[in-house]
Amino acid sequence: GIQVEQSPPDLILQEGANSTLRCNFSDSVNNLQWFHQNPWGQLINLFYIPSGTKQNGRLSATTVATERYSLLYISSSQTTDSGVYFCAVDAGGTSYGKLTFGQGTILTVHP
Amino acid sequence: EAGVTQFPSHSVIEKGQTVTLRCDPISGHDNLYWYRRVMGKEIKFLLHFVKESKQDESGMPNNRFLAERTGGTYSTLKVQPAELEDSGVYFCASSQSGTQYFGPGTRLLVL
């Protein structure tokens, strides 16, 4: 099946810093989503981005489908951005709808 | 609009007992998914319903797990009998097309 790798595994920032999280995947995808898992464990959907670039406030994401990677940018980070960020992909075909998750990036933002 | 809801939020049971988890998807969403994260591992797909039909149950670990979706609305996931390795967080998600929206999860602990 499709493989998803996220980097870095851990990231520690001071408030106000910018960061880039990466997601590599091993095959073409039908769907790619970025999630933020908050301290209560809930998975918050950030972006649905199988290709192209999207922005939402301080967050933006870019997926280059032909090169099989996606990037999540966080600008002017805040302590509330702390948590685990997951990338998940749907390879389509016979496994349409099935999301395969990466192992996550643990982000800690210090005040 | 209400999001995906799951019940219970936590469950602690003894090995050999039965537990039933419930998921109520976003109203009108035909697609309903179950995922789980066991300790230290990645979030893994369990199965996918389209309305009341099982589209893909390739992620179900064994026949101790039984999922149903009555009338294409809410879904239940029963574990019988529960084993220690079933402990983890069980997530439900729903979608109409594209973006999957996740519930808060049920934390299951099998002692």
Side-chain angles (χ1 to χ4, degrees):
Chain A
I2 194 166
Q3 305 296 313
V4 182
E5 292 187 5
Q6 292 185 242
S7 61
D10 297 276
L11 186 58
I12 299 174
L13 301 174
Q14 286 296 127
E15 204 167 23
N18 302 327
S19 61
T20 301
L21 282 59
R22 186 177 180 104
C23 172
N24 292 334
F25 41 96
S26 60
D27 206 342
S28 58
V29 298
N30 204 41
N31 172 19
L32 186 147
Q33 290 184 239
W34 281 98
F35 296 92
H36 174 214
Q37 187 170 39
N38 63 22
W40 297 271
Q42 183 144 12
L43 287 168
I44 307 299
N45 182 60
L46 297 177
F47 294 103
Y48 169 81
I49 187 166
S51 64
T53 297
K54 290 186 178 179
Q55 179 154 8
N56 184 4
R58 296 182 295 105
L59 274 59
S60 63
T62 295
T63 298
V64 184
T66 53
E67 296 188 22
R68 300 181 181 168
Y69 72 88
S70 183
L71 302 174
L72 177 69
Y73 305 96
I74 304 174
S75 64
S76 304
S77 58
Q78 300 176 357
T79 56
T80 52
D81 295 330
S82 296
V84 186
Y85 289 80
F86 290 101
C87 165
V89 302
D90 168 6
T94 55
S95 63
Y96 171 80
K98 169 184 174 181
L99 286 179
T100 299
F101 281 76
Q103 75 276 31
T105 291
I106 302 173
L107 174 65
T108 304
V109 181
H110 290 301
Chain B
E1 179 184 286
V4 177
T5 57
Q6 294 187 242
F7 182 83
S9 59
H10 297 79
S11 181
V12 180
I13 61 172
E14 293 188 350
K15 176 182 171 181
Q17 289 186 321
T18 297
V19 63
T20 300
L21 313 181
R22 175 172 169 139
C23 168
D24 286 82
I26 293 171
S27 178
H29 281 192
D30 289 338
N31 297 286
L32 187 149
Y33 310 85
W34 285 98
Y35 295 84
R36 75 172 181 177
R37 188 179 194 190
V38 296
M39 187 65 72
K41 299 282 184 67
E42 291 146 21
I43 299 170
K44 294 282 194 184
F45 167 86
L46 296 178
L47 86 159
H48 171 197
F49 283 100
V50 178
K51 296 184 180 178
E52 67 276 10
S53 300
K54 291 176 185 174
Q55 173 74 18
D56 180 354
E57 52 184 331
S58 62
M60 295 288 264
N62 51 60
N63 59 10
R64 295 186 294 103
F65 289 75
L66 174 64
E68 295 180 324
R69 189 179 183 191
T70 307
T73 55
Y74 70 91
S75 174
T76 57
L77 179 64
K78 180 189 287 188
V79 185
Q80 179 182 29
E83 298 288 345
L84 300 179
E85 63 265 25
D86 300 332
S87 295
V89 183
Y90 290 75
F91 292 101
C92 174
S94 73
S95 73
Q96 187 49 32
S97 63
T99 306
Q100 291 187 27
Y101 297 91
F102 279 68
T106 292
R107 284 144 192 80
L108 175 65
L109 179 59
V110 183
L111 302 175

